[in-house]
Amino acid sequence: MKHVIVIPDGCADEPIEALGGKTPLQAASVPAMDRIAATGASALSNNTPAHLPAGSEVANLCLFGYDPDQYFTGRAPLEAAASGITLGKHDFAVRCNLVTIEDQIMVDFTADHISTEESRQLLAAAGEALLGSEGGRFEFVPGVSYRNLLIYRGDEHTPAPFSSETRSTAPHDLTDLSVTDDFPRGPGSDLLVRLMNGSADVFADHPVNQARQAAGKRPATHVWLWGLGGAPAMPTFEERFGVRGAMITAVDLLRGIAALVGWPRIEVEGATGYLDTDYAAKGAAAIEALDQYDLVCVHVEAPDEASHEGRHDAKIEALEQIDRHIVGPLAEALAGYGDHRILVTPDHPTFCSTKKHTHGMVPLVMAGTGIESDSQTTYDEIAAAAAGRRFDHGWDLMDAFICR
């Protein structure tokens, strides 16, 4: 049995006046997804429990069948796993965005999509200026573009100053909003705030920012520290479901989850984690992987990025590209393998109106061997709600999707 999961990240939305009261999914031309709906079953799933962050870190764990109350320790540890960083029981990982803050407003949580090399230079300067007084236990670890990490190495004699009670706010949830009341709080937060404020002094006249401003780009004004947590431990996906999977994504968070659940990561040239990603290359790589793996998961960040920018037109375009170059070709290829199933679902909603992730149900559609067709003929939020099936605990979905 072959299984395919396609995740158009953050594609669930609310009706938009400029679209005649339709959601982006309703407004988009997605014939391949609609065919899956017409031959399969639609439903709603809650992947973001109200007491946890409404982000991809929790939502994707739920989607893959892992109860976040049992397995979620924080976003940064998942991304550390993507970089091959092993956390000991006294260590902590902290997500480190390079951001643009002006007059205490989060103008850009990506620092104008700063390059990886520029980030590397800025973090090297921040590390030299700010971490020397912390006993050598902290290290900035560059990632991709604005997405980076801060690692704390502790031991039984010097445990981390942080705990599960330390609270932080994702910068993408603060777009165009004041950051004044959203700095970290709780155990160890004074240290994080000191580093965040100190980075502003380091970055102010740095040559990287001088060059960016001269080129008409936004500077990276601060590091924003959030999503911290200790080492997670979870069984592999194969141990849980008896299926050997693989992940295609351009986002470190999903790479990290894949590493922790035992999925090899298939890197695709041209996959960017943004709107300019090579959709066709991702689709082709997924089809090729079907020969080797029982399950192939394709994650596409583009709809979420469009939502964070408040661009419903770009979100519609991303959905149509996913349908044309990923869902359609994969559905066709699956037919040649005999028994198979396909699932299309976002992880969480991201509203164009608010530009941020939100709690709530997401629409899903699945079809294939042993899945009975319902009466729905389109894939969207309204049709999925009308189908009447709900997964109030998102981690129950995999038990319904995986055929064992």
Side-chain angles (χ1 to χ4, degrees), residues 43-110:
L44 295 174
S45 181
N46 179 20
N47 301 328
T48 51
H51 62 288
L52 292 172
S56 295
E57 62 273 41
V58 169
N60 281 286
L61 283 178
C62 279
L63 196 162
F64 297 141
Y66 293 83
D67 180 348
D69 281 328
Q70 184 174 356
Y71 298 110
F72 177 69
T73 64
R75 178 172 181 135
L78 302 176
E79 300 193 6
S83 300
I85 298 171
T86 300
L87 298 177
K89 67 177 182 178
H90 300 291
D91 299 341
F92 257 69
V94 187
R95 174 68 185 267
C96 172
N97 271 51
L98 294 186
V99 302
T100 305
I101 298 173
E102 298 176 358
D103 298 325
Q104 295 300 303
I105 301 296
M106 182 67 70
V107 174
D108 193 331
F109 70 89
T110 75

Side-chain angles (χ1 to χ4, degrees), residues 351-374:
F351 291 172
C352 288
S353 61
T354 62
K355 301 182 182 180
K356 64 182 182 180
H357 302 160
T358 186
H359 294 91
M361 290 285 189
V362 296
L364 66 93
V365 63
M366 54 183 167
T369 305
I371 296 177
E372 294 185 9
S373 177
D374 58 26

Side-chain angles (χ1 to χ4, degrees), residues 130-138 152-153:
L130 303 175
L131 300 184
S133 62
E134 302 301 335
R137 294 190 176 276
F138 283 95
Y152 175 87
R153 297 294 187 183

Side-chain angles (χ1 to χ4, degrees), residues 157-168:
H157 304 295
T158 314
F162 319 111
S163 77
S164 60
E165 300 303 312
T166 308
R167 296 288 178 260
S168 61

Side-chain angles (χ1 to χ4, degrees), residues 13-63:
D13 212 317
E14 61 186 348
I16 296 173
E17 184 177 352
L19 298 177
K22 294 181 178 180
T23 69
L25 260 178
Q26 287 180 298
S29 174
V30 287
M33 298 183 201
D34 289 344
R35 281 194 295 273
I36 294 171
T39 59
S42 299
L44 295 174
S45 181
N46 179 20
N47 301 328
T48 51
H51 62 288
L52 292 172
S56 295
E57 62 273 41
V58 169
N60 281 286
L61 283 178
C62 279
L63 196 162

Side-chain angles (χ1 to χ4, degrees), residues 27-367:
S29 174
V30 287
M33 298 183 201
D34 289 344
R35 281 194 295 273
I36 294 171
T39 59
S42 299
L44 295 174
S45 181
N46 179 20
N47 301 328
T48 51
H51 62 288
L52 292 172
S56 295
E57 62 273 41
V58 169
N60 281 286
L61 283 178
C62 279
L63 196 162
F64 297 141
Y66 293 83
D67 180 348
D69 281 328
Q70 184 174 356
Y71 298 110
F72 177 69
T73 64
R75 178 172 181 135
L78 302 176
E79 300 193 6
S83 300
I85 298 171
T86 300
L87 298 177
K89 67 177 182 178
H90 300 291
D91 299 341
F92 257 69
V94 187
R95 174 68 185 267
C96 172
N97 271 51
L98 294 186
V99 302
T100 305
I101 298 173
E102 298 176 358
D103 298 325
Q104 295 300 303
I105 301 296
M106 182 67 70
V107 174
D108 193 331
F109 70 89
T110 75
D112 210 358
H113 288 278
I114 191 167
S115 73
T116 298
E117 178 55 32
E118 289 171 320
S119 291
R120 192 177 298 274
Q121 292 181 48
L122 289 170
L123 289 176
E128 182 177 350
L130 303 175
L131 300 184
S133 62
E134 302 301 335
R137 294 190 176 276
F138 283 95
E139 177 189 7
F140 284 116
V141 179
V144 177
S145 182
Y146 62 92
R147 308 176 180 105
N148 307 281
L149 293 170
L150 174 68
I151 303 296
Y152 175 87
R153 297 294 187 183
D155 55 43
E156 59 182 339
H157 304 295
T158 314
F162 319 111
S163 77
S164 60
E165 300 303 312
T166 308
R167 296 288 178 260
S168 61
T169 302
H172 49 255
D173 287 340
L174 294 171
T175 301
D176 298 331
L177 300 176
S178 171
V179 302
T180 304
D181 296 326
D182 285 286
F183 282 80
R185 51 211 179 276
S189 60
D190 56 337
L191 189 154
L192 297 178
V193 172
R194 185 165 70 249
L195 293 176
M196 291 164 71
N197 288 334
S199 69
D201 295 328
V202 175
F203 292 170
D205 296 316
H206 194 281
V208 164
N209 277 331
Q210 291 177 347
R212 288 181 64 79
Q213 289 175 300
K217 300 177 182 178
R218 289 171 175 156
T221 62
H222 296 73
V223 298
W224 187 268
L225 302 175
W226 62 287
L228 66 165
M234 59 185 70
T236 69
F237 193 88
E238 189 169 2
E239 288 169 341
R240 291 210 59 200
F241 298 104
V243 172
R244 195 165 53 98
M247 171 66 76
I248 295 174
T249 183
V251 175
D252 275 349
L253 171 63
L254 273 294
R255 291 187 177 113
I257 292 176
L260 291 169
V261 304
W263 287 355
R265 288 140 40 196
I266 299 171
E267 299 298 333
V268 177
E269 186 175 355
T272 65
Y274 190 58
L275 294 163
D276 61 353
T277 198
D278 191 332
Y279 301 91
K282 279 192 164 185
I287 290 171
E288 183 178 352
L290 282 172
D291 280 339
Q292 186 175 356
Y293 298 99
D294 304 317
L295 182 151
V296 178
C297 179
V298 186
H299 169 264
V300 188
E301 182 74 1
D304 192 61
E305 290 290 332
S307 297
H308 286 312
E309 295 178 6
R311 297 172 56 196
H312 59 77
D313 56 338
K315 189 168 188 175
I316 290 170
E317 173 64 19
L319 287 167
E320 292 179 347
Q321 294 286 343
I322 292 167
D323 189 80
R324 181 178 307 117
H325 296 297
I326 298 175
V327 177
L330 272 169
E332 183 177 350
L334 277 170
Y337 283 93
D339 290 346
H340 67 272
R341 289 185 175 183
I342 185 169
L343 167 68
V344 180
T345 180
D347 44 358
H348 54 71
T350 309
F351 291 172
C352 288
S353 61
T354 62
K355 301 182 182 180
K356 64 182 182 180
H357 302 160
T358 186
H359 294 91
M361 290 285 189
V362 296
L364 66 93
V365 63
M366 54 183 167

